[in-house]
Amino acid sequence: MGIEPAPGDFSEDIIWIDLIKPTREEEHLVEGRIGIPLPTPEELKDIEPSSRLYVEHDAIYMTASLLYRTDSTYPLLTDVAFILYRGRLITIRYAEPKSFALFSASLSRLNGQCDTGAKLLGHLLEAIVDRTAEILETVAARLDSLSITVFVDRKAAKRRPPRFLEDKLLDIAGHHQLVSKLRASLVSLSRLVIFLQSQPIVRHEEEAAELCTIVARDIQSLGEHAAFVGTNITFMLDASLGLINVEQNAIIKIFSIASVVFLPPTLVASIYGMNFQFMPELGWNFGYPLALFAMLLSAIIPFLFFRWKGWL
């Protein structure tokens, strides 16, 4: 059974009740006014489809995961409840995704197109998807800029500061985290819209049904675009790791060649540094210059050989 409405029920003109971080007392007050139970924060976090999308007491309960704090270092997902009951929309959220503020600011431009809860929900979902598309476009633009910085500008690559690529790996990892959460949000929105389209209250409202169809198509397109961006991020991650390995191998190659180049001079110096009594070269007037020439020549020959082979 539903909760009996308390005296002083909300006016019929109020078709959207937006609860932001409500206390339990505020929830009880709204429950008494509208006559149905509201999901608790713990229930919103439930990942079972039967707990996120269901019909009870003639009310349609839906929960979706939305992105917020996308401009920060650590973007997060928050679970938002959408409830349709007797032509009214009730939303419950414990964070403030930017899409809600953008939608609230645009309500005056809808010119009475949100006269029912279903239509209002359709336009709200459209605003959420538009905001998601904006985030995805921003990520794609940042990735293009990052790609140019890392892979295209060869002159700048020669003057890169230490740990440049390692820092870019952190940027790529941040973009990967954002896109991963964005795709999770799109999946939850897709499930919500499909469930919503199956409800009689939406099927009987032509405008609401059309809005749901548009939102469903947009979500599908964004999902494909997000998958493409995710593939690009994976490529950039692998390519950046490959560049780091190439630079490390180049450093190791330089040290290896240097050790090989200086090995013959070291051998010559070791021979003539033994100072045995019976070494005929010790009595030569040109023994010292000859030893220096032999060391220099033994270093030049391997160096020229490496240049000829293209190893330098």
Side-chain angles (χ1 to χ4, degrees):
M1 295 179 61
I3 298 174
E4 291 297 328
D9 192 6
F10 293 112
S11 170
E12 293 183 357
D13 295 334
I14 300 177
I15 61 173
W16 184 17
I17 303 173
D18 187 23
L19 301 177
I20 306 174
K21 300 178 182 178
T23 63
R24 195 56 194 150
E25 291 75 15
E26 292 171 336
E27 290 179 351
H28 284 312
L29 175 62
V30 175
E31 287 175 348
R33 291 292 185 89
I34 62 178
I36 58 172
L38 299 179
T40 63
E42 293 73 20
E43 292 172 341
L44 291 180
K45 296 178 181 178
D46 200 327
I47 61 174
E48 291 293 331
S50 59
S51 300
R52 296 175 72 91
L53 306 168
Y54 60 95
V55 178
E56 187 177 75
H57 308 302
D58 296 327
I60 304 172
Y61 292 82
M62 297 163 287
T63 304
S65 300
L66 305 183
L67 275 170
Y68 74 106
R69 292 180 57 183
T70 56
D71 297 330
S72 65
T73 307
Y74 302 102
L76 298 173
L77 287 173
T78 181
D79 294 314
V80 179
F82 303 88
I83 304 171
L84 285 176
Y85 181 63
R86 294 182 179 177
R88 181 178 288 155
L89 171 65
I90 303 100
T91 55
I92 307 173
R93 51 195 173 102
Y94 294 88
E96 298 189 30
K98 192 174 181 179
S99 53
F100 276 77
L102 294 174
F103 176 69
S104 298
S106 66
L107 275 175
S108 59
R109 298 194 297 269
L110 292 178
N111 297 324
Q113 299 179 27
C114 301
D115 54 348
T116 66
K119 294 179 184 179
L120 181 67
L121 178 58
H123 286 289
L124 176 57
L125 291 175
E126 191 175 31
I128 292 171
V129 172
D130 288 343
R131 173 59 182 166
T132 305
E134 181 183 350
I135 296 171
L136 191 57
E137 289 175 0
T138 301
V139 173
R142 290 176 180 174
L143 286 173
D144 288 340
S145 177
L146 187 60
S147 177
I148 292 173
T149 303
V150 175
F151 304 115
V152 177
D153 196 348
R154 297 184 179 180
K155 293 182 179 179
K158 297 180 180 179
R159 301 187 300 271
R160 285 175 179 167
R163 302 187 63 83
F164 173 82
L165 290 176
E166 288 82 349
D167 293 339
K168 296 306 176 184
L169 281 179
L170 295 177
D171 293 339
I172 295 172
H175 293 320
H176 180 269
Q177 183 183 25
L178 177 57
V179 172
S180 297
K181 293 183 180 298
L182 186 145
R183 294 179 71 178
S185 176
L186 287 174
V187 169
S188 69
L189 285 171
S190 177
R191 291 167 56 190
L192 185 150
V193 172
I194 292 174
F195 176 79
L196 185 60
Q197 287 178 309
S198 66
Q199 301 306 310
I201 189 175
V202 174
R203 293 202 306 266
H204 295 159
E205 290 192 29
E206 183 178 352
E207 184 177 344
E210 184 177 353
L211 283 171
C212 288
T213 301
I214 294 173
V215 170
R217 291 175 180 172
D218 289 344
I219 291 174
Q220 182 179 2
S221 299
L222 286 177
E224 295 173 355
H225 190 197
F228 173 73
V229 173
T231 301
N232 285 344
I233 291 176
T234 302
F235 165 76
M236 289 187 63
L237 180 62
D238 293 340
S240 298
L241 291 173
L243 287 177
I244 292 175
N245 290 331
V246 168
E247 291 187 357
Q248 291 177 344
N249 291 336
I251 295 173
I252 294 174
K253 183 177 70 173
I254 291 174
F255 281 105
S256 300
I257 292 175
S259 63
V260 173
V261 167
F262 287 105
L263 182 60
T266 304
L267 177 61
V268 174
S270 300
I271 293 175
Y272 288 104
M274 290 186 291
N275 293 323
F276 286 117
Q277 181 178 359
F278 299 103
M279 291 184 69
E281 295 85 353
L282 295 179
W284 291 358
N285 292 333
F286 298 100
Y288 177 66
L290 182 62
L292 292 178
F293 177 76
M295 287 189 286
L296 181 61
L297 183 63
S298 63
I300 292 175
I301 291 175
F303 177 78
L304 294 178
F305 177 76
F306 292 148
R307 289 292 299 271
W308 176 63
K309 284 290 189 178
W311 297 343
L312 285 175

